[in-house]
Amino acid sequence: HLAFWLQQNIIVHSGAACNVKDDNISERIYTIKEGDTLVLQCIVKGHPRPQVRWTKTAGSASDKFQETSIYNETLRIEGIHRVQGGRYYCKADNGVGVAAIKSIRVDVQYLDIPVLTVHQTISDVRGSYYQEKTVFLRCTVNSNPPARFIWKRGSMLIEQSKDNGVDIYEPLYTQGETKVLKLKNLRPKDFADYACQVSVRNVCSIEDKSVTFKLTNATSPPMIRLSVNDTVVVDPGQDVLLTCEVIAGFPLPTVVWSRYPSLLPLSAQVRGPTLFLRAVTPADGGFYNCTAVNNVGNPARKNVNLVVRTMSNLTFQITPDSNKDSESIQMGRDLKLSCHVDATPQDKVNYTWYKNGAPVFNSDSLILLRSDPDMAPGTSSLEIVDMKFRDLATYSCVANFLGSRGLELRVDVNISQNSVSPPVLSVPPGGQVVSVREGGNVELVCLVVDGKPRPPILWSRAEKDLLMPSGRTTMETPDGRLRLKNVSRDMMGAYRCQTAPYNGLNIKRREAQVQLNVQYPPILDPVFQDARSRNYQMVTLRCTVMRSNPPRLTDIRWFRNGDSIRMPMPDLKETPELKFKLEPTNNGSYECRVSNSAGTSTCTFNVSAQPYNAEFYFDTPNPVRILKGNNYSYNLQWTQRDPEATDRIIGYWVNVRKNKQNVLSKQIDLKGKEPEKGVLISHAISDLKIPLSYEVRLAPITTYSTGDYVSRIIQYSEHHVCGFEDDRICGFSQDRSDIFDWTRQNHLTQNPKRSANTGPETDRSGTKEGYYMYIEASRPRLQGDKARLLSPLFNVTSVRGPKGSGRVPYCVSFYYHMKGKHIGTLNVLLRVRSIASVDSVVWIKSGHQGPDWRKAFLDISPSGPFQIVFEGIRGTGFEGDIAIDDVSITVGKCKQGNTVASAGKTGKIDINPQRNPKKPNVINFRHPHTHTLFVNAVAFGLK
């Protein structure tokens, strides 16, 4: 039969969850307490062995977990938080058919400490003859599931039905998070201690929480005032002291300082209502918030905007008479000098202008503009009207803050007939196109060869949507040289250089372009290819050039095992290709080296007639057979990957090792039968010692070569879980001394005319394909007819019992379905083999047990080799079908859990002994065409 498969999956749960239930669409919902450790296990079956990936959605945000190729992958979340609840998906894929995907929803349970706030109102009653005072105690809590609220006055429970002076209600739109206790027309007895107690009814062993408040006649909301103005402006390095004084409020309010949008600086010192900032920096600026809270009324808040002065990048502009479209200084025309500094706060900058060192004041020929509306905000200008020879001078612009110490910048501009001229921008000869090899360094040059003063050069990409390598849209270079390091091919293209509009003439900007050409070796496909073929057949190797810069190729050479292959010079314009007949002497590594002037790239081909690896089949039903003399055999199964790709496979080398020492080495002869793709090959390895495990290595053999070895671990186990998926029913057998037999069936094989009011719809996992065993109570069966199903014989002589005990405890568990008004009896018998077999009843159930699959556990301590016997006894009528599924026999006493499993809600458990060393070893007996994907959820730290 074919053994390449990956089919529909099933989710099951195992582990100590707070609660596991199913919603309306039969999805598993796993409940866990916040702070506990969550373990999700994706136990997947398929051949070849699938890769597993975990993803998560439907929480506070979508989180993606790492992709992994580890089989039976476990996702572990230590100290799970409430936002990590949501839907977790396990995806298994082995390249065969559609990937298997299943989800489990994790519901994180929590209960915070409640918050109690008090609000008071005073209203006039009956024409202001007297006033009524009403108090609202508002209790709010975050919880999952929604909490139950209890109000107490002192130690007495407050019940609305027994006290006309109170109302208890839930405000609109609070979704069960808030309860309000209203004290109407406050009475003397209402001045007391109040408690709000919240509970989630001990879900996940979460204890109740409570909060108290003492209501007195002096209870009042907080009021505060600040020691400073709403805005505080300081110089860098200054110390700042902010005090938030509480002027009212009972109980005494608590004061908290915070900062928006960032956190408080690390150097901040908070002492009660005082915040102290030592030697502030510009990074310490922002809005500081003082909040006073006593849970009465609304919190009192005050904000302080702390501004730390900064000043940098003082620039100037010289603007000739814009009305005349002039680009130079001319006598008799106007001229404007502008000065701008980047500062905080920008609107507090003070500009002072000087002419030859003397302050400039407004006059008919010199006009000062503190804030020039034609320039960028915060720019000061000096306009020279109808320029005369007396106006030729050195002008200075000084920027500072009034009252500030040390923050001051100055720029000097010399205005003369020879000191100002338009710039001339030029790219040096040969610099219009610059070529560089990928990974190298390069310099793009764009120079101001004439003009005074010489402005800086701004570089940008010619294509609007592209950014500079720095990530910005422009880069400034004072000398016009743009230096780029570690150049990559995505940096290739046109670069624009422009004169900056500052520190020079404010005229039409000069610009030029430089083309950057990044050269790189050819990009080839494939980079590596494993090419298998039969000997004495033609092999064609192709090395495709995807891209290359420069595109012209300079050389193509072929090599085998590092030695050059002699062949005619290939056409450099065609796809490189090598054809040859594969022989045992020319297997090896072939390389195609393709070169251009930037370098050489290589296509590598591993050409071989060596067969592909075998692929172990891990889901063999019941692979262990117990032999005489404390030995066992193991049924090893595998498939051969692409057997037709190479020479005919005639056999396999099998090597069995223990502690890296060979125990067995032999050749398996296929006796002329060639492996077929997807068809299982079996071989029984005998004389293995109970209870040892072994490493098995396997390699295919052809006429000319041997393939690589693959290895796996095989383990001995006496433990069995049978889902009856295998038509051999895991070695179970019908008792020949009974009246009739048990029947193997699934939903798809059910008789459409069967009795509707008895028997299960599906197996206990809820899948239509899953099988179970049942007794048919319809005619010709009569009341009292018995059907017995016998388990395989279990040998207990190889295992010792607990200290002081000669017998080994075993746990027998199974699912049973007993629905119908005529249900008879289901007995479980222990048959111990000795001189004569002895049967004893260890479990019994009679009558209708409901529509669900139920789980049974029983402990046995057999005195010798034993079998488990399931005996179904027909009841009084035809509505008496009894079914069993998922029979498990494990060493050790039972650990009982949930005993009800409705169809469609629970999956079949398969615990891989290799991957779960701390759990009972279990062998799963299933038909090879059945694929299951399990998600096991285990919670640690639960009480």
Side-chain angles (χ1 to χ4, degrees):
H1 55 249
L2 293 181
F4 290 112
W5 49 268
L6 185 70
Q7 296 179 357
Q8 186 55 42
N9 46 12
I10 303 170
I11 282 186
V12 301
H13 158 266
S14 69
C18 302
N19 187 23
V20 182
K21 59 181 180 180
D22 304 86
D23 64 12
N24 294 333
I25 57 172
S26 299
E27 181 183 32
R28 304 292 291 159
I29 302 175
Y30 181 83
T31 303
I32 185 172
K33 179 182 176 182
E34 186 174 45
D36 285 349
T37 297
L38 174 72
V39 177
L40 297 179
Q41 288 181 308
C42 190
I43 304 177
V44 62
K45 298 182 69 179
H47 184 73
R49 199 171 252 195
Q51 294 183 346
V52 175
R53 184 180 64 169
W54 280 101
T55 57
K56 180 230 172 202
T57 59
S60 61
S62 295
D63 304 318
K64 186 170 184 177
F65 296 91
Q66 63 189 23
E67 187 167 347
T68 175
S69 59
I70 300 175
Y71 178 73
N72 203 25
E73 174 66 8
T74 298
L75 174 67
R76 184 182 182 92
I77 302 177
E78 302 275 357
I80 191 168
H81 192 266
R82 63 194 63 176
V83 299
Q84 293 174 301
R87 187 171 287 108
Y88 287 79
Y89 291 89
C90 173
K91 179 180 180 181
D93 192 5
N94 64 355
V96 181
V98 180
I101 303 175
K102 204 65 179 178
S103 67
I104 185 168
R105 193 148 56 101
V106 176
D107 191 18
V108 182
Q109 309 277 278
Y110 57 89
L111 177 64
D112 291 346
I113 297 176
V115 176
L116 196 157
T117 57
V118 179
H119 300 270
Q120 305 176 92
T121 63
I122 298 176
S123 58
D124 295 334
V125 179
R126 296 181 182 177
S128 301
Y129 286 110
Y130 68 95
Q131 292 180 323
E132 278 188 357
K133 186 173 184 181
T134 302
V135 174
F136 300 86
L137 281 77
R138 183 186 183 99
C139 187
T140 302
V141 69
N142 294 319
S143 69
N144 182 33
R148 180 180 62 185
F149 292 79
I150 297 175
W151 285 99
K152 291 182 180 180
R153 182 189 289 119
S155 59
M156 300 297 294
L157 182 67
I158 300 176
E159 298 180 74
Q160 182 172 336
S161 60
K162 297 181 181 180
D163 190 341
N164 294 330
V166 302
D167 277 339
I168 299 176
Y169 63 91
E170 178 181 328
L172 295 175
Y173 312 116
T174 57
Q175 298 180 349
E177 300 170 348
T178 303
K179 275 288 192 296
V180 174
L181 172 63
K182 179 181 178 182
L183 305 176
K184 302 178 289 185
N185 191 14
L186 209 62
R187 303 161 298 183
K189 74 172 186 177
D190 293 331
F191 294 109
D193 292 329
Y194 289 86
C196 172
Q197 181 176 322
V198 293
S199 171
V200 289
R201 294 161 290 282
N202 206 38
V203 169
C204 290
S205 301
I206 299 176
E207 297 180 351
D208 296 352
K209 306 277 177 62
S210 64
V211 61
T212 60
F213 184 86
K214 185 178 184 64
L215 181 64
T216 70
N217 203 27
T219 300
S220 59
M223 295 179 64
I224 56 176
R225 64 185 173 197
L226 290 172
S227 61
V228 295
N229 295 327
D230 293 345
T231 301
V232 177
V233 182
V234 297
D235 286 336
Q238 280 188 239
D239 295 340
V240 176
L241 184 67
L242 306 176
T243 301
C244 185
E245 181 185 358
V246 176
I247 59 177
F250 186 83
L252 183 65
T254 301
V255 176
V256 177
W257 281 96
S258 60
R259 179 187 179 202
Y260 180 81
S262 306
L263 300 176
L264 287 175
L266 295 177
S267 60
Q269 300 176 17
V270 179
R271 300 187 184 95
T274 301
L275 173 66
F276 180 68
L277 303 173
R278 182 181 296 278
V280 296
T281 66
D284 296 332
F287 287 91
Y288 288 79
N289 175 267
C290 166
T291 304
V293 178
N294 68 349
N295 291 341
V296 180
N298 295 320
R301 292 185 174 91
K302 294 286 185 180
N303 292 317
V304 177
N305 183 17
L306 178 63
V307 179
V308 182
R309 298 185 182 103
T310 61
M311 185 175 289
S312 63
N313 193 30
L314 182 64
T315 59
F316 70 90
Q317 290 178 311
I318 304 172
T319 306
D321 194 337
S322 57
N323 294 327
K324 306 294 184 179
D325 293 330
S326 177
E327 289 194 343
S328 61
I329 297 176
Q330 299 182 27
M331 294 298 168
R333 293 189 176 181
D334 297 344
L335 183 69
K336 181 163 70 174
L337 307 178
S338 302
C339 178
H340 177 84
V341 68
D342 295 329
T344 302
Q346 189 72 54
D347 59 342
K348 300 299 182 182
V349 176
N350 177 65
Y351 292 98
T352 305
W353 287 89
Y354 297 87
K355 178 180 179 182
N356 293 330
V360 175
F361 300 97
N362 275 317
S363 64
D364 293 340
S365 60
L366 297 177
I367 301 175
L368 288 173
L369 299 175
R370 298 296 179 186
S371 182
D372 191 338
D374 296 330
M375 297 291 179
T379 301
S380 175
S381 294
L382 173 63
E383 290 191 1
I384 304 174
V385 181
D386 192 15
M387 191 169 182
K388 306 290 191 300
F389 280 103
R390 67 173 183 269
D391 297 321
L392 302 177
T394 298
Y395 293 85
S396 302
C397 174
V398 177
N400 57 22
F401 292 107
L402 294 177
S404 174
R405 295 171 295 177
L407 286 177
E408 182 176 284
L409 295 176
R410 176 191 182 108
V411 64
D412 297 325
V413 182
N414 183 28
I415 301 298
S416 66
Q417 289 181 311
N418 297 325
S419 64
V420 179
S421 60
V424 177
L425 194 63
S426 174
V427 176
Q432 286 84 2
V433 178
V434 178
S435 295
V436 61
R437 289 191 179 184
E438 191 170 34
N441 302 330
V442 70
E443 184 178 79
L444 309 184
V445 181
C446 194
L447 302 177
V448 178
V449 296
D450 196 7
K452 295 180 182 179
R454 295 189 177 183
I457 300 299
L458 299 180
W459 288 89
S460 62
R461 299 293 293 267
E463 295 185 39
K464 293 182 180 180
D465 297 335
L466 297 180
L467 298 176
M468 296 294 288
S470 64
R472 300 194 298 261
T473 55
T474 60
M475 289 180 62
E476 178 184 315
T477 57
D479 58 355
R481 299 177 183 272
L482 177 65
R483 297 171 178 88
L484 303 176
K485 296 182 178 180
N486 193 22
V487 176
S488 58
R489 65 194 68 175
D490 59 345
M491 297 165 63
M492 185 164 54
Y495 287 75
R496 180 187 294 111
C497 56
Q498 294 178 309
T499 54
Y502 48 84
N503 292 350
L505 281 169
N506 182 24
I507 58 177
K508 182 179 179 180
R509 300 169 70 175
R510 274 49 172 173
E511 68 175 53
Q513 280 194 5
V514 177
Q515 183 73 28
L516 177 61
N517 181 35
V518 181
Q519 298 179 342
Y520 52 88
I523 299 175
L524 307 178
D525 182 61
V527 176
F528 175 83
Q529 181 177 330
D530 185 12
R532 306 286 177 111
S533 175
R534 294 174 179 262
N535 278 301
Y536 306 107
Q537 287 190 349
M538 294 300 297
V539 175
T540 301
L541 306 179
R542 291 186 180 86
C543 184
T544 304
V545 180
M546 308 300 291
R547 292 187 302 278
S548 176
N549 189 31
R552 180 179 174 274
L553 303 181
T554 58
D555 190 28
I556 298 175
R557 293 178 185 269
W558 285 91
F559 294 81
R560 183 178 68 233
N561 298 327
D563 297 329
S564 179
I565 300 175
R566 293 183 180 181
M567 55 186 302
M569 181 63 185
D571 188 345
L572 299 178
K573 295 182 180 181
E574 303 230 348
T575 298
E577 187 175 272
L578 178 66
K579 293 184 178 181
F580 61 96
K581 180 184 288 187
L582 183 63
E583 299 178 358
T585 57
N586 62 5
N587 283 225
S589 176
Y590 286 74
E591 293 181 354
C592 177
R593 301 177 186 175
V594 183
S595 304
N596 63 4
S597 60
T600 301
S601 300
T602 303
C603 287
T604 302
F605 302 87
N606 180 33
V607 181
S608 173
Q610 185 184 49
Y612 283 106
N613 296 343
E615 295 176 321
F616 283 118
Y617 183 64
F618 287 86
D619 300 319
T620 303
N622 199 12
V624 175
R625 290 288 185 271
I626 301 172
L627 307 177
K628 294 181 180 180
N630 207 36
N631 293 336
Y632 74 97
S633 67
Y634 195 93
N635 184 27
L636 189 70
Q637 291 187 305
W638 68 93
T639 58
Q640 177 61 45
R641 179 186 170 192
D642 292 341
E644 300 292 331
T646 61
D647 294 309
R648 184 170 68 90
I649 296 174
I650 59 175
Y652 288 87
W653 280 109
V654 61
N655 184 276
V656 182
R657 303 201 300 181
K658 182 65 181 177
N659 299 326
K660 298 184 179 180
Q661 298 294 322
N662 284 345
V663 176
L664 171 69
S665 184
K666 63 178 291 189
Q667 181 177 341
I668 301 172
D669 188 358
L670 296 182
K671 298 178 181 180
K673 185 177 180 181
E674 297 185 34
E676 299 178 34
K677 185 175 182 179
V679 175
L680 282 176
I681 305 171
S682 300
H683 177 74
I685 303 175
S686 302
D687 299 324
L688 304 173
K689 297 297 182 182
I690 296 174
L692 301 179
S693 59
Y694 297 85
E695 178 191 7
V696 177
R697 303 170 69 238
L698 189 70
I701 306 169
T702 68
T703 308
Y704 300 98
S705 63
T706 300
D708 294 328
Y709 278 94
V710 292
S711 68
R712 65 162 296 186
I713 302 297
I714 60 174
Q715 292 181 320
Y716 170 77
S717 174
E718 289 186 349
H719 314 139
H720 301 264
V721 172
C722 183
F724 303 110
E725 308 302 329
D726 180 10
D727 55 8
R728 291 173 291 178
I729 57 174
C730 327
F732 278 74
S733 59
Q734 307 284 352
D735 190 345
R736 296 181 181 179
S737 64
D738 56 11
I739 304 300
F740 68 109
D741 289 342
W742 288 77
T743 303
R744 177 173 172 264
Q745 179 176 267
N746 66 8
H747 178 82
L748 303 177
T749 61
Q750 288 175 353
N751 186 342
K753 297 181 180 180
R754 69 185 184 90
S755 304
N757 297 322
T758 188
E761 287 289 331
T762 64
D763 75 338
R764 77 98 177 173
S765 67
T767 59
K768 295 181 179 180
E769 298 82 6
Y771 283 88
Y772 56 89
M773 301 295 289
Y774 85 108
I775 63 169
E776 175 60 66
S778 301
R779 289 193 307 174
R781 300 281 72 82
L782 301 175
Q783 182 177 356
D785 284 356
K786 296 180 180 180
R788 293 191 189 96
L789 187 67
L790 310 180
S791 76
L793 181 66
F794 290 84
N795 181 10
V796 300
T797 58
S798 60
V799 184
R800 294 181 180 179
K803 188 174 182 181
S805 170
R807 295 188 180 184
V808 179
Y810 279 77
C811 174
V812 178
S813 69
F814 60 94
Y815 284 84
Y816 62 92
H817 191 282
M818 300 173 69
K819 168 193 171 185
K821 62 183 179 180
H822 301 143
I823 290 292
T825 301
L826 176 61
N827 294 326
V828 179
L829 296 86
L830 174 63
R831 177 173 293 179
V832 178
R833 292 289 186 92
S834 57
I835 298 175
S837 297
V838 178
D839 290 353
S840 57
V841 177
V842 292
W843 187 91
I844 185 171
K845 188 72 69 176
S846 299
H848 174 70
Q849 301 297 321
D852 298 325
W853 283 96
R854 294 180 174 271
K855 191 169 187 178
F857 300 86
L858 56 126
D859 292 308
I860 59 173
S861 296
S863 59
F866 69 95
Q867 289 175 289
I868 297 298
V869 181
F870 290 92
E871 181 181 66
I873 303 176
R874 201 257 197 187
T876 58
F878 64 90
E879 292 185 5
D881 293 355
I882 298 174
I884 61 171
D885 199 1
D886 281 6
V887 180
S888 168
I889 302 170
T890 59
V891 171
K893 291 189 175 182
C894 297
K895 297 179 180 179
Q896 298 191 16
N898 185 15
T899 60
V900 180
S902 298
K905 299 180 181 179
T906 317
K908 300 192 174 181
I909 299 175
D910 177 7
I911 304 175
N912 186 328
Q914 181 178 347
R915 297 288 176 175
N916 297 273
K918 295 182 180 180
K919 296 186 179 181
N921 298 324
V922 177
I923 293 176
N924 183 28
F925 298 87
R926 296 182 183 277
H927 191 273
H929 289 280
T930 301
H931 161 257
T932 53
L933 173 65
F934 303 104
V935 177
N936 287 3
V938 183
F940 293 92
L942 303 178
K943 295 182 179 179

